[in-house]
Amino acid sequence: MCSIGSLAAQLAAAEALMLAAIALIGVAAALNSGFFSAVGAPVPMAAAAGLALGAAALLSNALGVAQVYYECAGRPSACSDEYYALVAALIAQSAALLALGAAAGVAAASAWIPGAGQVAMWVIIGLLLAQVALLPSVIALSVALANCVEGVASSRAEPLLIAAGVTAVLAWVFVYAVSGRVVLRPGKGPTASR
């Protein structure tokens, strides 16, 4: 049975990493604003860069989960729009997080200079917040894909269920007739045997 459940867990983990990165950049910005505390700003900034890159890796892995799920479901053409929309969203968000992680890494290099990295830090915080705000749309796209695949699977199952029911009834009639309780005579209806 195909499952897309691990995709939700990876999206939630990516969101947690993004929120932690935002918090660390806030700490780095606060440290960077002081003359004596600026020397400690590169550490949380570098850690935030690592968290952003980790979130990008989780979204790339989520893309793999979506691909495996779609393949497992038989690549239903009725769901291709939902699938490709999810793939595009995951690729775009992963690429944005890679860029933000790299920018945070570059900003970490100059964060020890008081006030030097303030603008970059606040811009990165704003862009990370935008990525967090976009994550529910990715979740909605994954739910739409799962709903479409389930709808296609149930529509394929209905004719099979009907055929199975008809086969079961015919098999019951055959077994009942063969057991000798009903004699079938050509040109006449069934009669009970004695």
Side-chain angles (χ1 to χ4, degrees):
M1 184 74 184
C2 305
S3 174
I4 198 167
S6 65
L7 180 73
Q10 293 187 21
L11 294 177
E15 182 175 22
L17 290 181
M18 286 187 271
L19 291 172
I22 291 167
L24 284 173
I25 295 172
V27 168
L31 290 171
N32 182 261
S33 66
F35 185 76
F36 294 107
S37 62
V39 73
V43 173
M45 199 64 198
L51 290 175
L53 294 174
L58 282 170
L59 291 179
S60 294
N61 196 36
L63 176 63
V65 170
Q67 290 172 337
V68 167
Y69 174 72
Y70 190 61
E71 290 290 331
C72 175
R75 299 185 59 85
S77 60
C79 303
S80 63
D81 289 344
E82 289 84 353
Y83 171 69
Y84 289 115
L86 176 61
V87 166
L90 286 169
I91 290 172
Q93 199 154 24
S94 181
L97 286 170
L98 281 172
L100 288 171
V106 169
S110 64
W112 63 274
I113 303 169
Q118 287 289 313
V119 173
M121 290 178 193
W122 290 108
V123 167
I124 293 169
I125 285 175
L127 292 173
L128 278 171
L129 284 171
Q131 292 304 309
V132 170
L134 288 174
L135 205 54
S137 66
V138 176
I139 293 169
L141 289 171
S142 68
V143 168
L145 175 62
N147 288 341
C148 180
V149 167
E150 288 174 13
V152 168
S154 67
S155 69
R156 288 180 183 165
E158 285 175 10
L160 293 176
L161 290 174
I162 292 170
V166 169
T167 303
V169 168
L170 291 175
W172 180 81
V173 168
F174 177 75
V175 168
Y176 190 75
V178 170
S179 67
R181 297 182 191 215
V182 175
V183 177
L184 299 176
R185 294 191 180 143
K188 299 183 181 182
T191 61
S193 63
R194 294 189 179 93

